[in-house]
């Protein structure tokens, strides 16, 4: 960062702010509001808007419109961008895949998952999901329990094999490893670095003045593109680690000047 204090702190969602597809703990909710009193707060994830709503927005403690206005929500790696307003969640933009792109992505990922023996016959919910700007494959289904998801592919080998196979089928689209059991398909060049770039463009805050917090900053992780673009990053291992980090960070940040 260009100085000691970031002007914006961005977070991954699953396994950074909350367990996969689970609601944030009240401790995280309080810390996010305390952080928003000092800097802009962004959440960038491969998940869809409904996950942001149920996992975070609906779990935040009651707060003033001015405080909520400091939040930036970027589902599907920044191909969608929303802000919190007194009237609800407001769309800044949403860049969707075409019908042809969606159909080719859905076909490729299903056929390759079946070929590799990764298509579950009794999943917890839908395996494939159309998120508008992103097609997502969830190996065990959208509602799989956390323990089953964590046990499915601890080394990442299954996801990486599927990602490579699907990418070879649809070279005009981006195919990336997502969460613990997921593979995401978007337009080319779409990853969390894209989302961070859009955030800088929209807010006017330089990337040098941002801090990113994530649990998958390893080279195969979906947070790695943010590190690779030169943004200052903080690696965490679960929401408790994030909470501990924020409790140390927040007192070091200057309070926002009152209008």
């Amino acid at each position: 960062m260009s100085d000691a204090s970031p002007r914006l702190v961005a977070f991954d969602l699953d396994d950074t702010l909350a367990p996969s597809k689970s609601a944030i703990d009240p401790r995280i909710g309080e810390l996010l509001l305390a952080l928003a009193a000092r800097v802009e707060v962004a959440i960038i994830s491969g998940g869809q808007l409904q996950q942001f709503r149920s996992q975070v927005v609906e779990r935040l403690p009651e707060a003033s419109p001015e405080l909520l206005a400091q939040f930036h929500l970027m589902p599907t790696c920044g191909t969608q961008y929303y802000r919190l307003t007194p009237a609800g969640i407001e769309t800044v933009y949403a860049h969707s895949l075409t019908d042809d792109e969606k159909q080719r992505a859905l076909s490729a990922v299903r056929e390759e998952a079946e070929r590799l023996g990764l298509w579950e016959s009794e999943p917890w919910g839908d395996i494939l999901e159309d998120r508008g700007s992103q097609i997502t494959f969830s190996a065990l289904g959208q509602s799989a329990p956390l323990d089953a998801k964590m046990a499915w592919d601890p080394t990442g080998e299954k996801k990486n094999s599927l990602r490579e196979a699907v990418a070879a089928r649809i070279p005009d689209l981006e195919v990336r490893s997502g969460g613990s059991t997921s593979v995401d398909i978007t337009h080319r060049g779409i990853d969390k670095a894209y989302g961070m770039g859009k955030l800088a463009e929209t807010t006017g805050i330089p990337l040098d003045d941002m801090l990113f917090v994530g649990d998958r900053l390893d080279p195969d992780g979906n947070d790695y593109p943010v590190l690779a673009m030169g943004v200052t990053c903080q690696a965490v291992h679960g929401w408790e680690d994030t909470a501990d980090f924020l409790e140390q960070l927040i007192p070091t940040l200057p309070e926002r000047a009152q209008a």
Side-chain angles (χ1 to χ4, degrees):
M1 287 176 292
S2 57
D3 55 36
S5 295
R7 294 168 56 194
L8 181 148
V9 180
F11 300 88
D12 169 49
L13 178 49
D14 283 346
D15 301 318
T16 295
L17 289 178
S20 180
K21 294 192 177 175
S22 301
I24 57 171
D25 186 88
R27 181 182 171 202
I28 284 287
E30 294 285 356
L31 286 166
L32 287 176
L33 290 183
L35 184 64
R38 291 164 168 78
V39 298
E40 305 281 310
V41 176
I43 302 172
I44 302 180
S45 168
Q48 63 177 324
L49 178 61
Q50 181 53 39
Q51 286 176 243
F52 283 61
R53 192 190 304 270
S54 62
Q55 289 181 250
V56 181
V57 177
E58 294 173 356
R59 302 291 179 156
L60 289 173
E62 188 172 345
S64 68
E66 292 77 18
L67 201 55
L68 293 177
Q70 307 309 316
F71 282 83
H72 307 259
L73 308 179
M74 305 191 84
T76 55
C77 296
T79 55
Q80 300 172 19
Y81 184 10
Y82 303 91
R83 301 295 300 272
L84 299 182
T85 73
I89 297 176
E90 177 184 280
T91 304
V92 178
Y93 66 71
H95 305 313
S96 293
L97 293 164
T98 66
D99 288 343
D100 173 68
E101 289 167 336
K102 290 178 181 180
Q103 191 54 54
R104 288 189 293 113
L106 288 164
S107 296
V109 73
R110 173 158 191 157
E111 289 166 12
E112 293 305 318
E114 289 176 340
R115 183 180 67 81
L116 292 168
L118 301 178
W119 189 269
E120 292 291 326
S121 59
E122 297 182 6
W124 288 273
D126 293 336
I127 291 176
L128 294 176
E129 185 180 12
D130 177 356
R131 296 179 175 177
S133 55
Q134 177 175 291
I135 298 298
T136 294
F137 166 88
S138 297
L140 303 180
Q142 293 292 330
S143 303
L146 185 59
D147 56 350
K149 291 170 68 172
M150 298 304 290
W152 181 74
D153 187 24
T155 66
E157 183 178 355
K158 293 179 182 177
K159 276 193 308 176
N160 288 338
S161 295
L162 179 60
R163 185 199 65 75
E164 291 171 7
V166 174
R169 289 272 304 269
I170 46 174
D172 58 314
L173 297 175
E174 193 81 53
V175 184
R176 291 193 173 275
S177 175
S180 54
T181 64
S182 64
V183 170
D184 299 325
I185 303 169
T186 64
H187 284 131
R188 294 289 294 176
I190 303 300
D191 54 25
K192 289 181 183 175
Y194 170 89
M196 293 295 287
K198 282 292 187 182
L199 202 52
E201 180 184 310
T202 307
T203 63
I205 298 174
L207 291 171
D208 284 350
D209 290 340
M210 296 185 183
L211 170 66
F212 179 83
V213 182
D215 71 304
R216 290 295 312 279
L217 289 162
D218 55 285
D220 288 328
N222 61 354
D223 296 328
Y224 182 74
V226 182
L227 179 65
M229 78 188 302
V231 173
T232 300
C233 293
Q234 173 69 33
V236 294
H237 304 283
W239 73 265
E240 297 97 335
D241 202 8
T242 301
D244 291 344
F245 170 70
L246 289 177
E247 286 177 348
Q248 295 179 43
L249 174 68
I250 290 169
T252 71
L253 301 173
E255 294 194 26
R256 193 186 307 277
Q258 298 297 312

